């Protein structure tokens, strides 16, 4: 299956000002940590994992993310897409960042990953962390924490990611098999189930398409020849069809003319995406099908309301998104002595 096509990945009207951002307290502890006095080895995975080994790690990551986000709002979608695509293949181990070598084509060169971006930010953060705490903070944790921070900056919910992930040592383009823009809901459910996520997680996490873009080649069939009918997809609003045809001429190829996945608020993490789906403004086939499939339509309706109270108003999406992101971030995690802490994110340690 092809990979989800979010730009910059998987935005809306409620923007949280920088002064309102609330970060995870430095003193937070993982719920599964042992009680005081219990004889046990040091925990290998939990909140504030680097509190003692690299106390400034999260501040270093946060500073770099803020600087990047201030100059390039597309980084929100970029990191979300990187995180999704990494975790869907061999788990959240930063294998998506490994570069190809003679004799090995890495994940990043697989078709669905060719438009992944944000590697420059992750590499900058890694360089800064190696200078402060050599060999301590994994690339996998950098991806997770940078994604957490950029979501909050863009108006989204606070995500309490545990840390302590280690980096993978295998990256194969042939292993990349991720949900694609033309998947049916049934196919998408199967893909999410394969990594331990359910229908609620699927519907919730596709809400990441509140930021990002799609290129014409991923939805032009819905404008001109939907499922071989020779006409537009009847589930897409006629006015939107006309607008998109002006952007994507019939027969257009390549990755030009990107279109915002959220036709409401393009750079804000909110519930506008779900509101747009109810107006039949979904750009990708999989997005719009969420509104019409009985297994997901109720969730779309419940996520759509929006208001200032509680940041997402009466919508439970913010809480649900934070919870499902943590579930996704726990997929295939390497801890303890598994994997390694790569010196650079693009290469396995020799």
């Amino acid at each position: 299956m092809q990979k989800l096509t979010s730009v910059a990945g998987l935005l809306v009207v409620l923007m949280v000002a920088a002064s309102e951002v609330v970060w995870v307290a430095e003193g937070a502890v993982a719920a599964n940590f042992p009680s005081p006095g219990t004889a046990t080895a040091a925990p290998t995975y939990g909140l504030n994992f680097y509190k003692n080994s690299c106390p400034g790690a999260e501040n270093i990551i946060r500073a770099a993310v803020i600087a990047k986000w201030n100059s390039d709002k597309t980084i929100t979608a970029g990191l979300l897409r990187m995180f999704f695509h990494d975790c869907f293949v061999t788990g959240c181990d930063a294998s998506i960042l490994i570069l190809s070598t003679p004799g090995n084509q890495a994940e990043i060169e697989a078709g669905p990953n060719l438009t992944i971006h944000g590697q420059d930010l992750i590499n900058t953060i890694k360089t800064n962390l190696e200078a402060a705490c050599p060999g301590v903070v994994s690339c996998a944790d950098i991806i997770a924490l940078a994604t957490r921070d950029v979501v909050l900056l863009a108006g989204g919910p606070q995500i309490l990611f545990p840390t302590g992930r280690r980096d993978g040592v295998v990256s194969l383009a042939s292993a990349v098999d991720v949900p694609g823009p033309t998947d049916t809901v049934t196919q998408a459910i199967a893909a999410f189930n394969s990594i331990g996520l359910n229908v609620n997680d699927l519907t919730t996490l596709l809400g990441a398409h509140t930021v990002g873009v799609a290129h014409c080649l991923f939805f032009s069939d819905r404008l001109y020849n939907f499922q071989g009918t020779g006409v537009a997809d009847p589930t897409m609003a006629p006015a939107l069809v006309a607008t998109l045809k002006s952007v994507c001429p019939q027969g257009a190829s390549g990755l030009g003319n990107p279109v915002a996945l959220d036709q409401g608020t393009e750079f804000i993490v909110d519930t506008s995406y779900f509101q747009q789906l109810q107006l039949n403004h979904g750009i990708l086939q999989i997005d719009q099908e969420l509104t019409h499939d009985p297994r997901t339509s109720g969730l779309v309706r419940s996520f759509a309301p929006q208001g200032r109270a509680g940041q997402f108003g009466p919508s439970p999406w913010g809480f649900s998104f934070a919870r499902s992101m943590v579930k996704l971030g726990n997929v295939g995690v390497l801890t303890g002595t598994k994997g390694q802490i790569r010196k650079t994110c693009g290469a396995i340690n020799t």
Side-chain angles (χ1 to χ4, degrees):
M1 290 183 286
Q2 287 181 311
K3 182 161 196 164
L4 290 173
T5 314
S6 319
V7 341
L10 281 66
L11 293 168
V12 185
V13 296
L14 297 175
M15 183 65 163
V16 174
S19 62
E20 297 177 289
V21 173
V22 180
W23 302 99
V24 179
E26 292 297 331
V29 295
N32 59 353
F33 278 12
S35 58
T38 302
T40 183
T44 59
Y45 191 56
L47 296 179
N48 296 310
F49 177 79
Y50 298 106
K51 181 177 181 180
N52 297 319
S53 60
C54 190
E58 295 199 19
N59 287 332
I60 290 172
I61 294 171
R62 185 175 307 136
V65 171
I66 290 173
K68 180 68 173 181
W69 184 80
N70 282 338
S71 64
D72 179 11
K73 296 298 186 289
T74 69
I75 192 61
T76 307
L79 291 182
L80 278 166
R81 189 163 181 247
M82 181 189 295
F83 179 72
F84 277 49
H85 285 216
D86 183 48
C87 293
F88 254 95
V89 182
T90 69
C92 307
D93 62 356
S95 54
I96 196 170
L97 295 175
I98 296 174
L99 301 178
S100 295
T101 56
N104 182 71
Q105 186 179 35
E107 288 176 33
I108 194 61
E109 291 196 29
N113 292 337
L114 293 178
T115 54
I116 290 289
H117 81 281
Q119 297 96 315
D120 58 334
L121 172 60
I122 302 301
N123 290 333
T124 294
I125 294 172
K126 179 62 174 175
T127 298
N128 294 343
L129 287 170
E130 285 298 304
C133 311
V136 174
V137 184
S138 69
C139 300
D141 274 345
I142 294 172
I143 294 175
L145 294 178
T147 302
R148 175 199 71 181
D149 290 351
V150 80
V151 165
L152 193 56
L153 282 169
Q158 186 181 64
I159 303 170
L160 299 180
F161 277 133
T163 44
R165 298 170 185 79
R166 289 169 64 85
D167 298 323
V169 296
V170 176
S171 182
L172 301 172
S174 59
V176 175
D177 184 17
V178 295
T182 61
D183 282 358
T184 64
V185 171
T186 295
Q187 290 171 323
I189 289 174
F192 275 69
N193 284 345
S194 72
I195 61 170
L197 302 184
N198 57 33
V199 174
N200 185 84
D201 298 316
L202 162 68
T203 311
T204 297
L205 292 174
L206 282 181
H209 285 174
T210 186
V211 291
V213 300
H215 299 280
C216 295
L217 67 88
F218 293 108
F219 61 84
S220 60
D221 62 310
R222 298 188 68 206
L223 307 178
Y224 300 103
N225 188 26
F226 182 62
Q227 298 181 346
T229 61
V231 297
D233 183 346
T235 66
M236 182 181 282
L240 181 60
V241 171
T243 297
L244 295 181
K245 281 184 175 180
S246 68
V247 177
C248 301
Q250 190 166 10
S253 60
L255 295 176
N257 302 330
V259 172
L261 289 168
D262 182 348
Q263 293 290 293
T265 53
E266 184 178 354
F267 295 110
I268 305 173
V269 174
D270 59 13
T271 61
S272 171
Y273 164 81
F274 295 103
Q275 295 173 341
Q276 293 296 309
L277 294 188
Q278 294 201 301
L279 296 173
N280 289 328
H281 285 178
I283 302 299
L284 301 178
Q285 180 179 337
I286 181 59
D287 290 343
Q288 195 58 65
E289 285 198 8
L290 294 178
T291 307
H292 305 294
D293 191 290
R295 293 167 292 183
T296 55
S297 58
L299 287 167
V300 171
R301 288 193 299 272
S302 71
F303 290 157
Q306 184 175 341
R308 186 56 185 147
Q311 185 173 357
F312 295 101
S315 172
W317 179 75
F319 171 80
S320 186
F321 185 71
R323 181 180 58 190
S324 291
M325 283 288 282
V326 171
K327 288 181 64 176
L328 177 61
N330 288 337
V331 172
V333 168
L334 302 173
T335 61
T337 58
K338 296 178 181 178
Q340 61 182 216
I341 305 298
R342 297 204 295 267
K343 295 177 181 178
T344 62
C345 293
I348 299 166
N349 299 343
T350 57

